[in-house]
Amino acid sequence: MRRVLLKLSGEALAGEKKTGFDEATCKGVARQVKSIIDEGIQVAIVIGGGNFWRGRSSNAIDRTKADQIGMLATIMNCIYVSEIFRSEGMKTKVMTPFQVGAFTELFSKDRAVELLESGTVVFFAGGTGHPYFSTDTGVVLRAVEMEADEILLAKAVDGVYDSDPKKNPDAKKYDTISISEVVSKGLGVVDGAAAVIAKENRMPMLVFGLNEENSIARAARGDIDGTRVTVD
């Protein structure tokens, strides 16, 4: 049975508002995920917190506290999006690496696998539970723990380029690139810690544009017009 971990950016879910949530965007994501759940593909999701908090840019707040606020932002995102998914007829569960009262369930690999195998969409919120680790690291860590087949990175840009396509109209998009090349060329697909975990555990990634038509469903089926990041 195919199992994927989908990473969504908080900003992408905010739509043109750039903050908070855009319900239409979230519903569109939900419908795509439902279509692949109905095909028997198991889906886990991590959502960034950038639509609420980017505290590292502030020198007035301690880094540890800023990262803790970011973790809480991801929890708010996952609770909201999981409810949108429920409204579209899916079963969901939000799991965190630390207790959040009765809002979420404490992460357990065995429990998460059990839920995925039952057709439940599992949201991994709260990052790694520790400061100084990005959502990227949390994504790769959970994908490895869940023994996912691939990580699906839904981004604002439709793949990996040799330079910023917003600044360079001649930027070249890669069809395939190794995680080692991503790191050596500083292409910023994921951060350094996440790249090391992905490489050591041979966890491949697909990078594609969230806003392209039916892109999540196509990526989950292995059909993308983006970039395949290999671990060779």
Side-chain angles (χ1 to χ4, degrees):
M1 186 65 68
R2 183 163 163 77
R3 179 180 298 162
V4 297
L5 193 149
L6 171 64
K7 163 68 188 307
L8 299 168
S9 77
E11 297 99 321
L13 295 177
E16 294 182 359
K17 297 184 297 182
K18 306 298 183 185
T19 187
F21 304 108
D22 180 73
E23 186 171 308
T25 299
C26 294
K27 279 185 173 290
V29 169
R31 292 185 188 110
Q32 290 190 62
V33 172
K34 187 173 190 307
S35 73
I36 57 178
I37 289 286
D38 289 345
E39 294 173 13
I41 297 173
Q42 298 173 13
V43 181
I45 295 178
V46 171
I47 305 176
N51 53 324
F52 284 115
W53 182 255
R54 287 204 171 276
R56 294 179 186 176
S57 61
S58 172
N59 294 322
I61 299 176
D62 175 78
R63 168 64 184 271
T64 296
K65 299 302 181 186
D67 284 359
Q68 289 171 346
I69 296 170
M71 292 176 212
L72 293 174
T74 71
I75 295 170
M76 289 192 295
N77 280 346
C78 284
I79 291 173
Y80 176 86
V81 176
S82 74
E83 287 304 300
I84 295 295
F85 275 39
R86 284 174 176 268
S87 75
E88 293 294 327
M90 286 173 278
K91 296 180 294 182
T92 66
K93 179 67 69 176
V94 179
M95 305 188 90
T96 49
F98 47 82
Q99 294 281 3
V100 189
F103 296 170
T104 68
E105 185 172 317
L106 193 62
F107 172 76
S108 156
K109 174 181 176 176
D110 290 346
R111 172 66 172 151
V113 169
E114 178 187 343
L115 288 164
L116 288 168
E117 289 179 343
S118 73
T120 300
V121 180
V122 180
F123 290 81
F124 296 124
T128 66
H130 300 283
Y132 295 92
F133 292 98
S134 72
T135 309
D136 287 345
T137 308
V139 167
V140 179
L141 177 64
R142 291 292 182 247
V144 171
E145 286 180 302
M146 292 298 99
E147 300 175 45
D149 293 295
E150 271 177 324
I151 296 171
L152 309 181
L153 295 175
K155 292 179 169 282
V157 181
D158 65 346
V160 181
Y161 287 77
D162 61 358
S163 59
D164 188 344
K166 294 179 181 177
K167 298 178 181 177
N168 177 15
D170 296 321
K172 172 191 172 185
K173 185 168 79 171
Y174 295 96
D175 292 325
T176 304
I177 189 170
S178 72
I179 190 69
S180 298
E181 287 180 279
V182 166
V183 174
S184 66
K185 294 178 179 179
L187 299 178
V189 176
V190 293
D191 65 27
V196 168
I197 298 171
K199 183 176 180 181
E200 288 183 350
N201 292 277
R202 303 189 62 79
M203 179 57 63
M205 307 178 197
L206 296 177
V207 183
F208 60 96
L210 174 62
N211 295 323
E212 296 194 6
E213 186 176 358
N214 215 32
S215 61
I216 294 172
R218 288 191 290 110
R221 299 177 187 121
D223 172 26
I224 65 162
D225 183 26
T227 303
R228 190 175 298 275
V229 181
T230 67
V231 288
D232 299 332

